[in-house]
Amino acid sequence: MNIFIGIDDSRQLDGFKAGETASLLAQAIEDNGWGKSKIPSRHRLHTHPDIGYKKHNTARSFSADIEEQYLEALIEYACAMIKSNVAPGSNTGLAIVIPERMADPDDLITYAYRVKEGFVGKDESLKLAKMPGIYLFELSGNGRGIIGALAGAGLRFTGNDGQFRGKLKLSNEEYYIATVKEIIEKTYVEQVKNMDFGNLDDNEYVRMGEKVKVVLLDHLYTLMVFPTDIEHPKWQTSTTHMLRMF
C-alpha cells in the first residue's frame, strides 16, 4: 500500500525540525519492518502574517510502501515521536494520505497547490479530511500545522514538487565536471533535465555548482541544469534561486 506522509511544524524554534523528523520517521518505517520509504522532500508554501513560520513556510513529505496491517502502528508511532519532540509555541500537524482509498485524488492536488500559492484556513483542511484515505492529526499548538502537512503530502503525490535535503557532491574538486551517466551512477539522481524540462543524454557534461540541490520531477529524483553558453561543459547545475518553483 502506497502512502504519503506530510509534516508541518510551524514556529518550531527549538527541538527537532520537520526535516529531521521526516527523515527519522522514514527510517523508522524500514527499521520496524513496516515497509520501504522514499527520501523526504521539502515543499515551499505560501507565506502570510497569520501563518506561523520562522523564515520560510515549508512542509516536509515522503512516500512509503507499507503493509496495510502496519498502518495503525505507524500512525501511533509517528504521533508519539512528533509529540515528544515539539517545542513550545510550535503548531505541529501530521497528515497521512492513502491515494488508493480516495474517490478523487485531484481534490487533494487542487488543495495542495492552493496552499502553495495562497492563504487557506484550517476548516478547509478538516473538510477535506472527511474524505476516505486522508488522516490528519493536530499534535501541538493551535493545530494549524495540519494545513501545511496535508499540502506537503499532496504536493509530493503530484511527483512534480519539492527539493531534497542536503547538497549533492560528486568530488572534492571545485566545480567538478561530470557526465550525466556518472551523476546517475554515483548518486541517487535518476534523471538530469534542463530548465525547459528536456532530458540530457548520458554523454553530456555538467559543471557541478557550489550548492547542488535535487528536486522531484516526473516522480523521479532530478538534477536541473542550465546552459553555460560555452562549448565545454555545455551545462551547469541550476542555482537555488532557479529552483524556487519546486
Side-chain angles (χ1 to χ4, degrees):
M1 180 172 68
N2 192 227
I3 66 172
F4 291 80
I5 298 175
I7 301 171
D8 190 340
D9 58 353
S10 299
R11 293 194 185 279
Q12 182 73 300
L13 304 180
D14 195 8
F16 281 19
K17 296 180 180 179
E20 297 170 2
T21 304
S23 295
L24 288 171
L25 183 55
Q27 187 61 50
I29 288 173
E30 300 195 2
D31 291 346
N32 286 299
W34 296 333
K36 183 72 175 176
S37 301
K38 295 287 189 178
I39 302 172
S41 48
R42 175 179 181 264
H43 302 271
R44 295 179 181 271
L45 306 176
H46 178 69
T47 57
H48 186 277
D50 291 340
I51 300 172
Y53 58 90
K54 190 175 180 182
K55 186 176 180 181
H56 303 289
N57 185 22
T58 61
R60 300 303 194 279
S61 183
F62 66 95
S63 63
D65 284 310
I66 69 167
E67 296 291 333
E68 188 170 359
Q69 68 198 59
Y70 298 126
L71 178 62
E72 186 175 340
L74 167 59
I75 290 174
E76 290 180 2
Y77 180 93
C79 289
M81 183 189 75
I82 294 170
K83 279 184 175 180
S84 67
N85 289 294
V86 296
S90 65
N91 302 311
T92 307
L94 169 70
I96 296 179
V97 174
I98 308 174
E100 66 187 51
R101 294 184 180 178
M102 297 181 65
D104 189 358
D106 285 345
D107 290 339
L108 172 63
I109 295 173
T110 299
Y111 164 87
Y113 279 114
R114 287 192 62 236
V115 177
K116 188 176 181 72
E117 297 167 2
F119 181 82
V120 173
K122 191 169 73 169
D123 288 348
E124 189 168 339
S125 309
L126 294 171
K127 180 180 178 181
L128 194 62
K130 294 179 181 178
M131 298 172 56
I134 296 180
Y135 304 85
L136 290 183
F137 305 91
E138 301 178 31
L139 300 178
S140 72
N142 61 21
R144 285 191 57 86
I146 62 171
I147 301 171
L150 184 56
L155 291 168
R156 182 64 184 249
F157 174 64
T158 69
N160 290 304
D161 189 273
Q163 296 185 25
F164 294 94
R165 195 178 178 196
K167 304 174 187 177
L168 193 70
K169 191 172 183 180
L170 268 176
S171 170
N172 290 324
E173 181 181 333
E174 190 174 12
Y175 299 114
Y176 180 71
I177 296 174
T179 62
V180 170
K181 182 179 180 181
E182 180 183 1
I183 293 169
I184 292 175
E185 288 181 347
K186 293 185 177 180
T187 71
Y188 67 93
V189 169
E190 296 173 293
Q191 65 176 354
V192 180
K193 282 181 173 284
N194 60 39
M195 294 303 292
D196 292 323
F197 305 109
N199 284 81
L200 270 64
D201 294 331
D202 284 351
N203 60 357
E204 294 194 71
Y205 287 89
V206 177
R207 178 190 291 131
M208 307 298 287
E210 185 175 346
K211 189 175 182 180
V212 182
K213 303 292 290 185
V214 177
V215 302
L216 185 67
L217 189 60
D218 305 327
H219 297 276
L220 299 174
Y221 302 125
T222 304
L223 183 66
M224 303 297 293
V225 300
F226 70 99
T228 60
D229 295 326
I230 60 175
E231 188 64 28
H232 180 80
K234 186 178 178 180
W235 304 99
Q236 177 163 327
T237 53
S238 299
T239 65
T240 53
H241 180 75
M242 293 176 177
L243 299 176
R244 287 184 65 85
M245 69 178 73
F246 296 97

